[in-house]
Amino acid sequence: RYGFDALTDLTGTGRWLARPVEVAGSRPLAFEAGHVLHGTLRTWPAEHAIKCLVSYSTHDPLELQRSQNKALVVLQDAAFATGHRWLLEVIPPDFEADASLVVSAVRELYELGLRPDWWKLPPIVDDDVWSEINDVILRFDPQCGGVVVLGYEKPQEELFAAFESAQRSGAAIGFAIGRSVWWQPAAEWFSGKI
């Protein structure tokens, strides 16, 4: 829906492109394509990876978990049916208070049978948690491409510490830090300060 012209221009250039499929902020997870996700993905170039953000916790009410699980299985089936690789971004609502929720969410989603090509997980400054995440990934899917660490609008020092912690675990393959880099300059520009 956004940036279609840029995606079109970049397709075929060898750059890694990932496109979101979720309705922003949906909980339970819903897709912009609604019930025609398979059909919509068939129109995407094969090189475009699927990116899906889900606010998921093993502490969620059972009915919410079932709904989210069902949607995620539909997504994986659509990815497999259309030959697209996919990245699953998981952010438990209370991960900042309890980073182990990220570990339990990844484990539960693997136990559900999900096998995303990559994970995108929040910045956690805890070597033990990252080691657990890496162990879960290696146990369930040693062919997984790894984890992209998201910025989550954290201060630079905290982001660097989280990246270093994730990298030491062996799980991290990169990071995505959009707002962490441009939020302050954008706010100053829109307010006329710069």
Side-chain angles (χ1 to χ4, degrees), residues 47-129:
E47 70 187 84
H48 290 194
I50 299 163
K51 193 280 301 178
C52 182
L53 164 61
V54 62
S55 176
Y56 189 96
S57 175
T58 53
H59 293 176
D60 286 338
L62 192 54
E63 187 168 320
L64 175 58
Q65 285 185 44
R66 285 182 183 146
S67 177
Q68 303 232 91
N69 290 347
K70 182 178 178 184
L72 288 166
V73 168
V74 165
L75 172 60
Q76 178 168 271
D77 289 348
F80 289 170
T82 61
H84 287 90
R85 297 175 69 179
W86 66 297
L87 175 145
L88 183 56
E89 180 175 357
V90 178
I91 305 177
D94 297 326
F95 86 90
E96 291 183 276
D98 182 1
S100 71
L101 291 173
V102 178
V103 179
S104 61
V106 170
R107 181 181 299 115
E108 183 165 301
L109 293 169
Y110 270 131
E111 289 171 350
L112 179 65
L114 298 182
R115 298 296 183 270
D117 293 288
W118 306 275
W119 294 92
K120 186 176 178 186
L121 301 175
I124 301 165
V125 184
D126 186 323
D127 285 10
D128 292 336
V129 169

Side-chain angles (χ1 to χ4, degrees), residues 9 12-14 19 32 35 48 58 65 74 78 88 90 108 121 128 141 145 148 173 180 185 190:
D9 292 345
T13 64
R19 296 172 62 176
E32 284 194 355
H35 297 293
H48 290 194
T58 53
Q65 285 185 44
V74 165
L88 183 56
V90 178
E108 183 165 301
L121 301 175
D128 292 336
D141 187 10
V148 175
I173 58 164
S180 300
F190 281 114

